Amino acid sequence: MKIKGLRWWVVGLVALAAVINYIDRQAFGALWPDIAKDLFPDMDEDGHKAIYGTISTVFILSYAGGQALFGKIFDWIGTRIGFALSISVWSIATVLHAFAQGMLSFSIFRSILGIAEAGNWPGAAKANAEWFPTKERALAQGIFNSGAAIGGIVAYPIIGLLAAFFSWKAIFIVVGVLGLLWLLPWMFIVKSPPKTHPWLSDDEKQYILSGQQHKDIDEEGNYDEGYNPSTSKLLKHKESWGVIIASAAIDPIWWLFIVWIPIYLSEVFGMNVKEIAFSAWVPYVGAMIGAIFGGLLAKNRLSAGWSVDKTRKMTITLGCIIMIPCFFLLKAPGTAMNAVIIMAVLLFGFQVAIGNIQTIPSDLFSGKIVGTLSGFAGMAAKLGAAGLTILVTFITKGGNYTPAFLIGGALAIIALLAIWILCPKIEPLQPKTT
């Protein structure tokens, strides 16, 4: 049996995993008002905010460690089993949230969730490198990133709807089961990598392998693996640090919004749980469109003959240019509707940039080391996000989020500089000569 366009089925499943990933993680923020009222009835809003910020920071720090851990795991055991392990553990961790009794137990379960959910991103980068030719990678990454955005869009309304019928504890069980159900089509369809998959047509296999950066350089009939350095040699390349620093700077922008949108809307505009549930999804619409647009733009420019270097830098620069003025507009949005629309434009720019930053590891190195570099970049990104999350707890007292938005604008500039300065030419690297 042969399946036409099998690579698109694979990226579709990876995108669906990202949707489930975001429903699982966003459930905590969406349900926090009810959780806080149930578990911490004697605390005021500042106390609730401090607990929420602490638990969220624990989650992000665990997520950071999980990025590096699962980057290696995916390189060791492969994409198929790596994804199965990641989503199984995070789904079970989501179910365990229903049994949390306070800050400590929530922190433990959020930590397990963070470690396991982190596998989604290096896994997606590795699947991208395996299943797509270079010119389609930004589009494939955009489809995957749109899954994260779709998860953000549907999470709040879904949680709001479930909250009308179930307790917050039951909701965690319901959303946790979704991930376990995802395993069924994944294990059935993704039987092996492209080189040996029995359902992949010869034409599509040839298209995927011949369109990758690392081709049959020595013309001996097999596609070369490309440059596959050890971890220590990987970190000696300034381009690797360009990816790591850019990720550490730009990724906290995303977390600034996914962690704090519900609290921001509640503090600044006085929204209740239902109002938040049906407003907080708007920014993710911009993110979803940006993820697809950034991928299509990159594919269009590469097909037009632009180099990978020019395409990546142009697209990343465009995304940052869109983001930066939005941070200043958020200082005084006027209304909640204006605020979420500005956030939508900002996250559009974010996704245009981040999708192309995330493909750079596969532009520079072979598939065997892509997961490792993606994992290091993801770990640095989440450490930056954790730092910003805990900082927001202190710099936004009284509902003034202007300092947080100014920091976000500065981070976009740093990410842009890291790519332009540390990645002078984005192309397959060669071993350093001594």
Side-chain angles (χ1 to χ4, degrees):
M1 180 176 71
K2 303 294 182 181
I3 296 179
K4 185 177 181 180
L6 184 61
R7 68 191 186 281
W8 299 110
W9 284 87
V10 174
V11 77
L13 283 172
V14 174
L16 180 58
V19 173
I20 297 170
N21 186 297
Y22 266 76
I23 293 174
D24 286 3
R25 78 173 62 177
Q26 295 297 79
F28 178 68
L31 293 170
W32 178 247
D34 289 345
I35 296 170
K37 189 184 299 183
D38 187 14
L39 298 183
F40 313 103
D42 299 327
M43 285 189 179
D44 58 14
E45 285 192 5
D46 284 340
H48 289 163
K49 185 176 179 179
I51 292 174
Y52 177 81
T54 300
I55 295 173
S56 297
T57 302
V58 169
F59 171 80
I60 299 172
L61 286 171
S62 302
Y63 200 99
Q67 290 269 306
L69 173 63
F70 268 95
K72 278 294 185 185
I73 286 174
F74 272 88
D75 284 339
W76 289 336
I77 66 177
T79 306
R80 181 176 188 257
I81 303 302
F83 260 115
L85 176 64
S86 175
I87 200 165
S88 296
V89 174
W90 97 50
S91 298
I92 293 169
T94 300
V95 172
L96 289 175
H97 282 51
F99 303 95
Q101 298 296 317
M103 186 168 74
L104 177 60
S105 52
F106 254 122
S107 296
I108 292 171
F109 298 147
R110 293 298 286 177
S111 180
I112 298 170
L113 180 72
I115 292 170
E117 281 200 336
N120 217 30
W121 269 256
K126 190 170 180 64
N128 193 348
E130 287 179 355
W131 281 90
F132 287 87
T134 300
K135 69 178 183 180
E136 288 184 346
R137 283 178 181 168
L139 176 58
Q141 192 70 33
I143 292 172
F144 164 71
N145 285 344
S146 73
I150 292 170
I153 292 170
V154 302
Y156 290 108
I158 286 175
I159 299 304
L161 184 62
L162 290 174
F165 301 98
F166 301 103
S167 68
W168 64 265
K169 294 182 179 181
I171 292 172
F172 278 119
I173 295 174
V174 172
V175 298
V177 170
L178 290 176
L180 298 176
L181 293 176
W182 176 91
L183 288 170
L184 299 177
W186 175 258
M187 297 302 290
F188 180 69
I189 292 173
V190 186
K191 297 181 180 297
S192 67
K195 287 184 179 179
T196 57
H197 200 295
W199 295 352
L200 191 64
S201 68
D202 292 338
D203 288 344
E204 187 173 8
K205 183 184 298 184
Q206 176 72 12
Y207 175 73
I208 292 170
L209 298 179
S210 65
Q212 294 181 350
Q213 284 288 320
H214 309 291
K215 301 182 181 179
D216 186 10
I217 298 172
D218 54 13
E219 298 182 349
E220 43 78 37
N222 293 314
Y223 293 101
D224 298 297
E225 294 291 347
Y227 180 34
N228 181 34
S230 64
T231 300
S232 61
K233 290 182 179 178
L234 173 78
L235 296 176
K236 289 181 180 179
H237 287 277
K238 63 182 178 181
E239 291 85 356
S240 297
W241 287 102
V243 174
I244 292 169
I245 293 171
S247 299
I250 200 169
D251 204 56
I253 294 172
W254 179 253
W255 288 85
L256 173 64
F257 291 99
I258 69 170
V259 171
W260 292 106
I261 282 177
I263 312 303
Y264 168 81
L265 293 175
S266 175
E267 274 197 300
V268 177
F269 299 104
M271 287 188 168
N272 59 37
V273 174
K274 290 182 180 178
E275 291 170 332
I276 290 171
F278 291 97
S279 298
W281 59 271
V282 174
Y284 296 98
V285 175
M288 178 184 67
I289 297 171
I292 299 297
F293 175 81
L296 287 173
L297 179 62
K299 181 183 178 183
N300 175 270
R301 292 299 84 204
L302 288 169
S303 297
W306 282 25
S307 67
V308 171
D309 178 69
K310 183 179 179 180
T311 299
R312 299 283 183 252
K313 288 178 178 174
M314 180 276 292
T315 311
I316 292 166
T317 301
L318 174 63
C320 290
I321 289 173
I322 292 171
M323 279 193 287
I324 292 168
C326 290
F327 281 110
F328 290 95
L329 292 174
L330 282 172
K331 290 172 60 179
T335 66
M337 181 58 66
N338 289 343
V340 294
I341 290 173
I342 293 168
M343 290 178 188
V345 176
L346 193 156
L347 292 184
F348 171 90
F350 172 87
Q351 287 290 356
V352 169
I354 193 69
N356 281 268
I357 290 174
Q358 289 171 336
T359 63
I360 293 177
S362 61
D363 294 329
L364 300 175
F365 298 101
S366 77
K368 286 187 176 180
I369 202 68
V370 166
T372 299
L373 178 54
S374 296
F376 282 131
M379 181 177 68
K382 301 314 173 286
L383 289 174
L388 183 58
T389 299
I390 199 66
L391 182 62
V392 168
T393 304
F394 299 104
I395 65 177
T396 61
K397 287 186 176 179
N400 179 17
Y401 283 76
T402 296
F405 295 139
L406 293 178
I407 291 172
L411 289 172
I413 295 171
I414 292 170
L416 191 58
L417 292 175
I419 294 299
W420 278 94
I421 294 172
L422 295 177
C423 299
K425 192 170 185 181
I426 300 171
E427 62 181 2
L429 296 180
Q430 300 298 323
K432 287 190 172 183
T433 56
T434 55

